[in-house]
Amino acid sequence: GIAIADGKLAVYTAAAGLHPRRVIPVVLDTGTDNPDLLAEDMYLGSRHPRVRGDRYDQLIDAYVSTATRLFPNAMLHWEDFGAANARRILLKYAGTCCTFNDDIQGTAAVVLAAALCATRAAGTAMRDQTVVIHGAGTAGIGIADSLRQVMIDEGLSSDQATARFYALGSKGLLTSDYPGTLRDFQVPYARTAAEVAAWLRDPDGRIGLAEVVTRSRATMLIGTSTQPGAFTEQIVAAMASHAERPIIMPLSNPTSHSEAQAADLIAWTGGRALIATGSPFAPVAYHGVEYQVAQANNALIFPGLGLGVTVSRARRVSDGMLVAAADALAGLADATAPGAAVLPPVTSLRAVSAEVAEAVARAARAEGLSDVPLDGLAERVRAA
């Protein structure tokens, strides 16, 4: 756990130039139910069963109140919380302190950036997309929420925007008669049973990905499922039959969990797909064109966000600041040329972080979350 926190903080330094003394890794240990670890002499963690419920929440509250008292200008970066806790903890504290969940918000922002660049290259708007999310956990639904907000900003009503999403969990399409239990954040995206009454189901009552992509006439397919090979040739070909420039993002990593290989997606769509992946892929040569494969890496967003918060002394991290970060990132790539990527390369992180930080600081100021003047902002960002 502490190595993961340390690694993320190292990226703040490498990508955004934040001094190592300005970052502190923290691990919250609530025990484990793994009997092998509890019996292991070398185990460094707390030796008791996993704490849940009220006592767990009391620990989180004690940490937040202490951290914000000791470091009133800090941004709390949450990482790797389970699905039952990540979103509710973020929502609980988002309005009272400067806090950010990278798995939910960082992932959503970098995918939004890729989607914005891809739709511009396709000559369409976000409001025109029909989006299938394969993997309706906190990351997948966080992405849906982010894309939906842009659709609303482009003129759709909330209901109209929500209707453009089809989300699949471990038991198929989220519906009002879903075979499993829906979490509260999944409920808004569940289709009514009546709407999909004629759709093909498996013997367990589940509506699978192939049926959803075909029936919905999806234009954007996003994978956060960790199911390798889930985006089959049949599914991708069906999508390419009705979408001139299908936007496909197999985001699960490492590569062994990716929903598809970049070379396959390019071949199956005749080079028409606009792609972003969760794992790094080498350029793909296809019919005389070299296709650069964008990696939707959160490092393109969160270091710049932290730098922007630092420079602006923002009191909160707002949805508007995250959209501004995504828009700035999207503006650094131009996917209109054949084979061009929908995101800048990870090798350009320092320049990317500076641009993102400026956009975040301006948004914080515009929303009244910062009192720092904007004059000389570019120089102050680079100095920081």
Side-chain angles (χ1 to χ4, degrees), residues 42 52 64 272 281 339:
M42 297 291 284
R52 294 180 169 82
V64 172
R272 292 185 286 123
F281 283 91

Side-chain angles (χ1 to χ4, degrees), residues 209-268:
L209 181 61
E211 181 74 356
V212 173
V213 168
T214 301
R215 292 276 197 164
S216 68
R217 297 181 63 82
T219 59
M220 188 181 296
L221 176 59
I222 296 171
T224 50
S225 68
T226 70
Q227 293 180 4
F231 297 172
T232 64
E233 182 174 5
Q234 174 201 353
I235 288 170
V236 172
M239 188 177 176
S241 70
H242 61 252
E244 180 60 32
R245 299 297 308 273
I247 300 168
I248 307 177
M249 302 193 215
L251 300 177
S252 296
N253 55 48
T255 311
S256 58
H257 289 164
S258 182
E259 287 84 1
Q261 301 295 304
D264 288 337
L265 295 178
I266 290 166
W268 294 340

Side-chain angles (χ1 to χ4, degrees), residues 89-217:
I89 289 173
L90 175 64
L91 294 176
K92 180 176 180 179
Y93 296 106
T96 56
C97 62
C98 189
T99 184
F100 162 76
N101 185 300
D102 190 42
D103 301 306
I104 300 173
Q105 295 166 297
T107 300
V110 74
V111 173
L112 173 59
L116 287 170
C117 184
T119 54
R120 290 164 189 167
T124 59
M126 193 69 73
R127 58 172 290 163
D128 300 323
Q129 305 303 312
T130 299
V131 184
V132 172
I133 308 275
H134 185 51
T138 51
I141 296 299
I143 291 167
D145 290 344
S146 181
L147 299 179
R148 181 181 66 169
Q149 185 56 53
V150 173
M151 292 179 180
I152 293 169
D153 293 343
E154 291 181 353
L156 295 186
S157 70
S158 178
D159 287 346
Q160 288 172 329
T162 304
R164 303 199 73 87
F165 290 85
Y166 295 80
L168 291 92
S170 59
K171 294 180 172 62
L173 180 67
L174 302 187
T175 59
S176 57
D177 60 346
Y178 187 66
T181 302
L182 293 177
R183 296 191 182 276
D184 56 350
F185 58 84
Q186 296 173 323
V187 170
Y189 293 98
R191 317 298 295 203
T192 65
E195 178 190 353
V196 296
W199 291 25
L200 187 66
R201 295 175 182 253
D202 70 11
D204 295 320
R206 298 176 292 198
I207 301 175
L209 181 61
E211 181 74 356
V212 173
V213 168
T214 301
R215 292 276 197 164
S216 68
R217 297 181 63 82

Side-chain angles (χ1 to χ4, degrees), residues 23 52 58 92 96 113 142 171 195 284 321 347 360 365:
V23 297
R52 294 180 169 82
Q58 288 165 14
K92 180 176 180 179
T96 56
K171 294 180 172 62
E195 178 190 353
V284 175
M321 290 160 66
T347 50
V360 166
R365 174 78 182 188

